[in-house]
Amino acid sequence: MINASDNELIEANLSLILAEMKAQPEVAPLYSPDELSYEEQMIQIREFIELAGEYGLAYEYINGTLERFPFKISGNAAVKLLEVGLLMGFKSELNRDKRFDRRSKKAAL
């Protein structure tokens, strides 16, 4: 179970990672015109973190984005992402990531 102090750590970690991603606009041209643009995706992730408190969605979007595009994150940010993953207990809701899901079956639904 995630408590309030975990949420603060998760929010701070996700914000740090997002800041590093936002500092790399050179990745923007690699986005397809058929999907959210780089700018729109950065805004959406920030809203998930800061406005909605949807840390799970932000985490999934960050992971998916880092897997698809050649962002470079620092070792510190990589450790922060790992910390978030350990606290949250999953990687994404995708079938291929079920092996990373250690939430209870009830919480995962």
Side-chain angles (χ1 to χ4, degrees):
M1 180 182 232
I2 296 176
N3 61 42
S5 64
D6 288 344
N7 282 339
E8 291 170 4
L9 177 64
I10 289 168
E11 183 171 336
N13 286 359
L14 291 173
S15 295
L16 181 139
I17 297 158
L18 181 60
E20 288 194 12
M21 293 169 69
K22 285 172 66 174
Q24 299 176 59
E26 63 275 11
V27 177
L30 301 174
Y31 278 69
S32 167
D34 299 330
E35 62 187 351
L36 286 178
S37 70
Y38 160 83
E39 294 83 8
E40 292 167 331
Q41 189 173 39
M42 297 299 112
I43 289 168
Q44 185 176 52
I45 294 170
R46 183 192 62 78
E47 289 174 350
F48 286 151
I49 297 167
E50 296 175 8
L51 301 178
E54 289 286 350
Y55 306 131
L57 283 174
Y59 175 70
E60 285 191 65
Y61 273 66
I62 287 171
N63 268 313
T65 303
L66 291 174
E67 287 177 349
R68 288 187 60 216
F69 297 100
F71 285 96
K72 294 180 178 106
I73 60 171
S74 67
N76 184 46
V79 169
K80 300 293 183 193
L81 188 62
L82 179 59
E83 288 173 352
V84 172
L86 290 171
L87 285 171
M88 297 190 82
F90 73 105
K91 182 177 177 191
S92 82
E93 296 291 342
L94 298 173
N95 281 336
R96 70 175 188 236
D97 291 336
K98 283 188 188 286
R99 66 183 173 186
F100 299 110
D101 195 339
R102 46 177 183 75
R103 299 171 292 174
S104 70
K105 295 299 177 199
K106 191 175 195 181
L109 298 176

